[in-house]
Amino acid sequence: MALRLRRAGRQWLQTLKGGGTLKGGLHERHEGEGSVSRAALDFSMPEAAEWDTLLPLSWRDELQLVFVTDFFRSSRLLDWQGSSIEVCMDHGEARTEQHSVPICELELELKSGDPRHLFELALAILEVAVRTRNGHKAERGYWLLSGFVEQPVKAVAPGLSGTCRLADALQTLAWSCLTHLQGNLHGAMWSDDAEYLHQVRVALRRLRVVLRMAGKIRADDGLAALSGEVAAMCVDLGRIRREGRVHRPDDPADVRAWPGHGACRRCWPIASGSATVATPRWRGGARAMQRLMLRFAIWMNGPVPAE
């Protein structure tokens, strides 16, 4: 849960966020929001009445400011293929008393319409030098507070209930694999720790297993294309691992801007030291993987056949 004060123009908004789900790449959070007169918490507002069970009175005097996200937002509402999508460009920083990290990101929010259109728009925007993320600005503030250091991420078994439909279970498993992949992608592109690359390969192998199961109940051309691309990436990664080298160009022109971190070397594409191994799919490195994840999100948010 997060309790936030936000200034929008001359107005202050008080927001309590918490719970919700992440399904098929879409964040759905419970949120209660109302306006307040100044930059101070106000629990007399009508929206605050239902917070009593979540934020007991005895806790409220103990609340302290832990970090600030200070950024300028420019937003537009787009009509994309019949869906209403808000596009927000944010630029600023997240900071604590001792540390800060830049913010430069494009945020997409589906206001109404088909969830697939959100990912299709993201796929079109990906042709610009951006990097997809599932995180949020508050996450960076908590990282600054805790001294977070990125490490390879291992797979976490998703929770499945005994009453879960087979199609829903397979979607949950597929997104678990994609989350595992995304959690290690940055490290695989930049870090010298070979465990990142190993975990990317593990995520892709897990995904291949899930896709074979999915093909039993929802075989279509889209799934076949995705399965073929995952298989090809597994082969490429195997070659890169055997080669034992990751080439990062020294030409500053090859640097790509990573939202939230400015222009930095962290987004240089991955390739092997040998041109015969650096196939077109891997010359694009991170971007090829991000395209793959967005295309999976489009497919997983498509119609699910009845069982």
Side-chain angles (χ1 to χ4, degrees):
M1 292 177 57
L3 180 58
R4 181 189 69 191
L5 282 168
R6 181 179 65 181
R7 187 176 66 184
R10 296 184 177 181
Q11 184 182 33
W12 283 93
L13 299 173
Q14 180 173 285
T15 309
L16 182 67
K17 289 187 175 185
T21 60
L22 172 61
K23 183 179 180 181
L26 289 172
H27 287 277
E28 296 181 358
R29 298 188 179 95
H30 304 311
E31 181 175 319
E33 184 172 79
S35 60
V36 293
S37 60
R38 56 195 178 93
L41 297 173
D42 182 0
F43 295 104
S44 65
M45 56 187 290
E47 292 83 356
E50 57 191 57
W51 298 359
D52 290 345
T53 56
L54 302 174
L55 193 62
L57 290 171
S58 59
W59 293 5
R60 297 180 185 180
D61 290 339
E62 305 298 324
L63 293 174
Q64 297 181 26
L65 179 69
V66 290
F67 61 83
V68 173
T69 54
D70 187 5
F71 58 92
F72 174 79
R73 165 166 288 186
S74 176
S75 63
R76 297 290 185 275
L77 195 62
L78 297 184
D79 182 356
W80 180 265
Q81 300 182 10
S83 292
S84 179
I85 300 174
E86 185 179 36
V87 181
C88 300
M89 182 68 198
D90 298 334
H91 184 267
E93 67 174 5
R95 63 176 183 269
T96 62
E97 290 184 355
Q98 290 82 24
H99 307 286
S100 66
V101 63
I103 292 173
C104 181
E105 66 182 29
L106 197 66
E107 181 179 294
L108 306 180
E109 181 176 350
L110 182 68
K111 295 297 186 180
S112 64
D114 190 333
R116 288 176 298 177
H117 295 161
L118 187 73
F119 292 106
E120 289 168 359
L121 176 58
L123 194 58
I125 293 174
L126 191 62
E127 296 308 314
V128 185
V130 297
R131 177 181 184 268
T132 58
R133 296 182 71 247
N134 270 334
H136 47 82
K137 297 179 185 66
E139 186 176 61
R140 297 178 212 179
Y142 291 121
W143 285 356
L144 291 174
L145 285 171
S146 63
F148 172 80
V149 177
E150 186 179 41
Q151 295 180 347
V153 178
K154 293 188 177 181
V156 176
L160 297 173
S161 68
T163 58
C164 185
R165 297 173 67 243
L166 178 58
D168 293 337
L170 288 173
Q171 186 183 78
T172 299
L173 290 170
W175 195 253
S176 169
C177 298
L178 293 171
T179 301
H180 182 197
L181 171 63
Q182 190 171 41
N184 291 283
L185 186 56
H186 169 231
M189 297 300 140
W190 169 245
S191 174
D192 293 326
D193 187 344
E195 181 64 18
Y196 285 108
L197 188 58
H198 171 66
Q199 289 299 326
V200 167
R201 296 179 72 228
V202 171
L204 289 174
R205 289 200 299 266
R206 293 176 61 222
L207 186 56
R208 292 184 70 183
V209 173
V210 176
L211 294 180
R212 283 197 290 269
M213 292 189 292
K216 302 292 185 181
I217 65 167
R218 188 185 165 188
D220 57 37
D221 293 341
L223 179 61
L226 291 169
S227 298
E229 189 166 349
V230 171
M233 285 183 171
C234 287
V235 172
D236 289 345
L237 279 172
R239 290 174 179 170
I240 290 172
R241 188 184 186 193
R242 287 194 298 273
E243 184 72 17
R245 296 197 299 273
V246 173
H247 170 67
R248 299 184 181 89
D250 294 324
D251 185 353
D254 290 327
V255 174
R256 297 291 183 265
W258 179 19
H261 293 269
C264 65
R265 292 169 35 160
R266 297 184 179 183
C267 281
W268 283 347
I270 188 171
S272 84
S274 168
T276 59
V277 179
T279 62
R281 182 177 292 104
W282 281 99
R283 290 192 192 114
R287 188 164 298 180
M289 283 286 193
Q290 291 173 90
R291 286 194 194 99
L292 178 69
M293 288 187 286
L294 288 172
R295 286 171 54 213
F296 262 108
I298 293 169
W299 181 79
M300 289 194 294
N301 281 282
V304 178
E307 296 177 8

